[in-house]
Amino acid sequence: SSDLELRYGLLFRLRVDRDSIAAVRRAQPADCKFAVPRKSEATICIELGRPMNAERLFGITRAVTKVAVTPDDEAEFVRQLQL
C-alpha cells in the first residue's frame, strides 16, 4: 500500500498517502506539539505537504501538518518511507 497509517490505540489515527509526505527528518522540540504517543520524546518528524485530518477519541478530528513519532527502529522506519 502507498499509505502510511499512524495509530495509537483509540486516541489517534492518521492515514497519509506517501505522496503527501513533504519531509521526514529528526524531530526538534518545536515539532512535539503533536507527538504520538503524546508526551513522548519524539525522534522523527513527518512533515505533510498539506493539512490532513487526524482522528482522535470519539471521532474528533484535528488538522495537522506535521507529526512527531517515536519508532522502535528509526533507521528502518525512515528507510521504508523513502521507498
Side-chain angles (χ1 to χ4, degrees):
S1 169
S2 65
D3 288 348
L4 168 68
E5 184 171 8
L6 298 172
R7 189 173 201 142
Y8 187 62
L10 297 173
L11 300 177
F12 178 86
R13 181 174 181 238
L14 175 65
R15 184 176 292 245
V16 178
D17 184 298
R18 288 183 189 212
D19 293 335
S20 298
I21 297 174
V24 178
R25 59 177 173 74
R26 180 144 305 279
Q28 302 297 316
D31 298 325
C32 294
K33 288 182 182 178
F34 204 81
V36 180
R38 192 170 174 223
K39 297 188 181 193
S40 67
E41 291 188 31
T43 55
I44 301 293
C45 179
I46 301 168
E47 292 188 40
L48 306 173
R50 61 182 173 84
M52 303 196 77
N53 286 326
E55 187 176 323
R56 302 188 69 188
L57 192 61
F58 305 118
I60 296 169
T61 60
R62 177 178 176 182
V64 297
T65 55
K66 60 184 172 180
V67 178
V69 297
T70 309
D72 291 332
D73 185 340
E74 293 175 31
E76 182 63 15
F77 182 81
V78 171
R79 188 183 78 73
Q80 288 293 323
L81 288 179
Q82 294 172 344
L83 290 178

